[in-house]
Amino acid sequence: MPRSHGSASSQSLVLTYAEVGSTKGTELPEGFNHLRRTAVLGIGSEVFESAVVQLFSWQMHRGAGLGVECSEPVVEGTVARLVFTMGFGRFSAPVRIVYLVDEPDRRGFAYGTLAGHPERGEEAFIISIGADGRVTVDITAFSRHATWWARLAGPVTHAVQARITDRYIRALQTGVKPLQS
């Protein structure tokens, strides 16, 4: 049974798109807005471990200015509510972790949208360390409008997603630091 935050109804735990797991591949589904970003975070295993901790503790999201309501660890099935404020309102975006990446040189997860999210789709956050020690984050997403007001806002919602993605990267770049023993 999927993990949930609070007393979510079973209907709110249903993903709002059929293309679950598509951020794992190289081809994203048609009919969605696509977003791909890669950024260098630093060099070395300490940077890698620090970035992974930030990602899995939701600090990357918080550092980007989002509120995160989640009392569960990040595992497949965890439900979280991302909260953000724009000039004219406060918005809630419920998501569920749809897969994890747990390899020696790659760690991360993807979440999919749940009922009540202004968009429908999936977003993946993968932190990697190369043979040369360079640490990168790859963010891949596909989405389309799910609410009337997101459709009304049109391209503005895609611009907001791109801006938040830039903030995720900045939060990781400024937050990575050697771990204390």
Side-chain angles (χ1 to χ4, degrees):
M1 179 163 185
R3 295 177 182 264
S4 64
H5 171 72
S7 57
S9 71
S10 60
Q11 180 182 359
S12 69
L13 296 179
V14 176
L15 293 167
T16 59
Y17 64 105
E19 300 82 354
V20 177
S22 292
T23 53
K24 288 181 188 179
T26 57
E27 296 295 321
L28 296 176
E30 292 184 27
F32 290 87
N33 183 52
H34 299 165
L35 182 144
R36 290 185 191 271
R37 297 274 172 79
T38 299
V40 175
L41 302 178
I43 296 177
S45 60
E46 288 184 343
V47 170
F48 176 72
E49 293 301 328
S50 177
V52 168
V53 167
Q54 284 188 64
L55 176 63
F56 278 82
S57 65
W58 299 104
Q59 289 309 306
M60 178 192 74
H61 287 75
R62 290 183 178 104
L66 299 178
V68 179
E69 298 171 2
C70 183
S71 59
E72 305 274 343
V74 175
V75 297
E76 192 169 323
T78 297
V79 171
R81 187 171 303 279
L82 308 176
V83 181
F84 58 100
T85 304
M86 287 184 19
F88 50 88
R90 184 174 189 258
F91 301 94
S92 177
V95 296
R96 180 171 19 144
I97 306 297
V98 295
Y99 69 83
L100 298 176
V101 174
D102 187 9
E103 301 168 8
D105 59 349
R106 293 177 70 236
R107 300 277 316 273
F109 62 83
Y111 52 60
T113 57
L114 298 172
H117 195 294
E119 297 285 313
R120 72 183 66 204
E122 189 172 286
E123 190 162 22
F125 308 92
I126 310 299
I127 297 171
S128 304
I129 185 167
D132 62 356
R134 188 168 54 157
V135 179
T136 58
V137 60
D138 291 293
I139 301 175
T140 304
F142 61 90
S143 62
R144 65 177 166 225
H145 308 310
T147 61
W148 67 267
W149 55 267
R151 283 188 292 280
L152 182 66
V156 171
T157 57
H158 296 306
V160 168
Q161 183 182 26
R163 184 169 181 209
I164 290 173
T165 300
D166 291 341
R167 287 175 162 187
Y168 290 153
I169 291 168
R170 233 180 352 268
L172 283 173
Q173 288 172 328
T174 59
V176 290
K177 55 188 170 281
L179 300 175
Q180 301 299 316
S181 330

